[in-house]
Amino acid sequence: MNFSFLDDYGSYFLNGAWVTLQLSFFGVLFGTLLGIVFALMRLSRVWIVRILATAYIEIIRGTPMLVQIFIIHFGLTNFGINFSPFMSGVIALTINSAAYMAEVFRAGIQAIDKGQTEAARSLGMSRGQAMRLIVLPQAFRNMLPAIGNELIVIIKDSSLVSTIGIAELMYNARTVQSSTYIPLEPLLVAAGVYFVMTFTLSQLLNVLERRLGKR
Amino acid sequence: MIEIKGLMKSFGKNQVLKGIDATIQKGEVVAVIGPSGSGKSTFLRCLNRLEEPTGGTIRFKDRDVTAAQRDLNVIRQKMGMVFQHFNLFPHMSVLENLTITPRKVKGMNKEEAEKIALELLRSVGLEDKRDARPDSLSGGQKQRIAIARALAMQPEVMLFDEPTSALDPEMVGEVLDVMKRLAQNGMTMIIVTHEMGFAREVADRLIFMDGGYIVEEGLPREVLSNPQHARTKEFLSKVL
């Protein structure tokens, strides 16, 4: 094992990790917002709205993210739509996490006792108020483990966008590989950095879960 | 105050209410009894449209409840409801349970909402639980809080759906006491219950339901001691 390349190339991994974090952050942020919308659509009383959301979720979950990334970045140029690589990466991660988050939110909302909504409605709250003030805050607490799981998946899956030339962690690891002709160690460093990120995140979530659980 | 005409409700092919006619006067306390599956809870839940009636009309004061769209939420503010399983909001303190709806629905400011809430908590004897979480309360305490929560919206009628059925026997009394005081203060109340003693003592009128109909109604003492209908006799012989 020889890690001496880190003296010259260490910044590649740090910069790459920073881009990975940015990609994941925006992917999860927009994915969560969009996911809530799709979850509510799936619970809608209007069947066409339900079908649209279900179709979206099934299609996104049923096709490989790599294919989606290529369609967004290369395929859409067919229609004159050109995203920067970073934009394409964020969009791909967003539409993906939205599909998975939607299912997490839907399950979380449905797990809340119907009596909670009934009590809220009987007091005069609108459907929206009952959802926002009563159901979602309770659902969120139950959903935390599943949300945490999804965050970790997104961080790992973001390595796929290295294929469209975004200089994130995986891309930079391969750059170091080819510059130094060292096949193994740069990948081990990348794996280590990914692990530090996901492990830190899961520990943070554990703390948050305990805090919320105590109340 | 409430006028019900030909009220019907079906769940799929199962017709639970087969045409209910009833009139509730202001200040009246009406107890609804009957065997399980008789439709008494469904009847109550139709009054504020937690269940959507499939036929008939309900008028509350001068409003048509059955036709209400947007103003349904306004009507519901005037009809408090207490559930068998309390349905307190577990992610909020007791005080927040009482203040959230007055604040968010009526736009009441925090100070005023808390003032009303604390008075209500005092009246149900639970002022010291203002900062407690619902999970830390006994069943009887939860139900008294639930009554206070409904009252915080200053309703004109209170609907009780088997309010003591989920309670341990030793906690039934404290809840009934609160309800009794409410009745004495002139609140209009409709109570679906199995507490015959309470119905006899507190209610102005007793309604016996069976098979989706009102089979018999009258003064509680008379219905309980001298039932006219065979099904009423059969039911009472089992529960008394």
Side-chain angles (χ1 to χ4, degrees):
Chain A
M1 290 278 180
N2 178 7
F3 288 95
S4 58
F5 64 88
L6 281 175
D7 296 339
D8 291 329
Y9 292 98
S11 64
Y12 276 64
F13 293 97
L14 287 180
N15 293 339
W18 175 234
V19 175
T20 290
L21 281 177
Q22 290 176 43
L23 281 166
S24 308
F25 174 79
F26 288 117
V28 163
L29 178 69
F30 298 134
T32 304
L33 296 175
L34 206 58
I36 293 177
V37 173
F38 280 115
L40 294 176
M41 283 172 70
R42 277 207 67 171
L43 297 169
S44 166
R45 284 175 296 184
V46 185
W47 67 270
I48 185 85
V49 174
R50 279 201 307 271
I51 299 266
L52 282 173
T54 309
Y56 172 85
I57 291 164
E58 291 299 335
I59 289 169
I60 296 299
R61 289 201 307 182
T63 53
M65 180 140 92
L66 192 56
V67 178
Q68 295 164 11
I69 292 169
F70 281 12
I71 288 176
I72 290 164
H73 193 63
F74 302 120
L76 291 184
T77 57
N78 199 27
F79 305 105
I81 302 171
N82 284 295
F83 294 120
S84 70
F86 187 82
M87 261 305 259
S88 296
V90 169
I91 291 171
L93 290 170
T94 296
I95 62 170
N96 245 276
S97 61
Y100 287 94
M101 287 289 198
E103 287 299 87
V104 170
F105 279 105
R106 182 184 59 84
I109 288 168
Q110 285 181 327
I112 301 301
D113 180 31
K114 233 177 87 218
Q116 290 290 310
T117 309
E118 288 184 350
R121 298 303 307 277
S122 80
L123 288 162
M125 285 191 198
S126 66
R127 267 169 70 91
Q129 284 174 321
M131 185 58 79
R132 206 175 68 243
L133 300 169
I134 306 302
V135 177
L136 282 181
Q138 295 182 56
F140 181 71
R141 195 195 306 181
N142 298 341
M143 291 181 312
L144 260 187
I147 292 177
N149 200 28
E150 184 54 28
L151 295 179
I152 286 166
V153 167
I154 287 291
I155 290 180
K156 294 191 299 178
D157 281 0
S158 71
S159 62
L160 285 171
V161 304
S162 63
T163 53
I164 55 171
I166 303 176
E168 42 68 79
L169 184 52
M170 182 62 194
Y171 184 92
N172 281 3
R174 299 194 61 185
T175 304
V176 175
Q177 254 187 322
S178 51
S179 307
T180 58
Y181 303 106
I182 304 172
L184 178 61
E185 287 85 341
L187 291 177
L188 291 181
V189 174
V193 176
Y194 276 116
F195 181 77
V196 168
M197 289 195 278
T198 55
F199 187 71
T200 309
L201 186 67
S202 68
Q203 292 310 106
L204 284 175
L205 282 159
N206 280 344
V207 172
L208 185 61
E209 222 178 293
R210 271 200 301 275
R211 284 254 175 93
L212 289 176
K214 260 186 206 156
R215 301 178 51 174
Chain B
M1 183 176 232
I2 304 179
E3 211 175 299
I4 301 136
K5 280 200 185 123
L7 180 64
M8 288 191 267
K9 171 68 184 176
S10 305
F11 295 99
K13 282 180 185 162
N14 181 20
Q15 192 169 10
V16 180
L17 299 179
K18 298 172 182 167
I20 303 281
D21 297 291
T23 305
I24 316 288
Q25 304 295 337
K26 187 168 164 45
E28 199 178 14
V29 177
V30 177
V32 183
I33 61 168
S36 59
S38 60
K40 55 194 190 307
S41 278
T42 306
F43 166 63
L44 195 74
R45 290 163 57 85
C46 279
L47 295 184
N48 65 354
R49 283 200 20 217
L50 280 186
E51 300 292 354
E52 208 59 62
T54 41
T57 56
I58 300 163
R59 294 191 68 82
F60 173 55
K61 299 174 80 182
D62 50 354
R63 291 182 204 248
D64 187 342
V65 180
T66 22
Q69 301 280 335
R70 287 167 158 272
D71 50 338
L72 179 60
N73 293 334
V74 181
I75 293 172
R76 282 175 170 160
Q77 293 172 35
K78 299 282 163 207
M79 304 174 108
M81 188 164 206
V82 175
F83 300 85
Q84 183 178 358
H85 295 288
F86 330 124
N87 298 343
L88 293 179
F89 305 136
H91 59 304
M92 297 177 180
S93 72
V94 165
L95 193 63
E96 286 168 326
N97 263 277
L98 267 67
T99 56
I100 178 115
T101 328
R103 287 178 60 197
K104 300 290 179 180
V105 175
K106 280 186 170 176
M108 202 180 275
N109 68 46
K110 197 176 172 197
E111 290 71 33
E112 195 186 349
E114 291 192 347
K115 195 172 144 244
I116 293 172
L118 287 172
E119 263 168 46
L120 284 166
L121 287 180
R122 201 172 310 142
S123 75
V124 299
L126 290 170
E127 204 185 359
D128 57 324
K129 296 291 185 193
R130 52 176 285 177
D131 296 319
R133 294 266 155 187
D135 294 345
S136 67
L137 304 174
S138 73
Q141 291 171 331
K142 280 182 190 164
Q143 196 59 300
R144 285 189 278 158
I145 300 288
I147 294 171
R149 179 179 66 178
L151 291 173
M153 289 301 281
Q154 297 164 317
E156 295 176 30
V157 55
M158 286 283 283
L159 312 175
F160 292 86
D161 189 6
E162 304 198 20
T164 56
S165 298
L167 296 178
D168 290 335
E170 75 270 23
M171 291 170 184
V172 170
E174 62 189 76
V175 172
L176 293 182
D177 282 344
V178 169
M179 291 169 61
K180 199 156 110 187
R181 223 167 328 124
L182 205 53
Q184 284 161 353
N185 290 336
M187 177 60 79
T188 310
M189 296 162 70
I190 306 175
I191 308 161
V192 171
T193 186
H194 295 293
E195 298 289 333
M196 299 302 155
F198 177 77
R200 182 197 300 265
E201 187 187 353
V202 177
D204 302 308
R205 180 152 53 113
L206 192 68
I207 290 179
F208 172 71
M209 282 183 68
D210 191 20
Y213 295 104
I214 292 180
V215 175
E216 188 168 345
E217 61 181 309
L219 288 173
R221 197 164 303 129
E222 286 172 14
V223 175
L224 289 174
S225 56
N226 188 21
Q228 300 300 305
H229 202 285
R231 276 188 289 177
T232 320
K233 283 177 194 164
E234 189 195 338
F235 174 71
L236 290 176
S237 71
K238 283 179 192 156
V239 297
L240 288 181

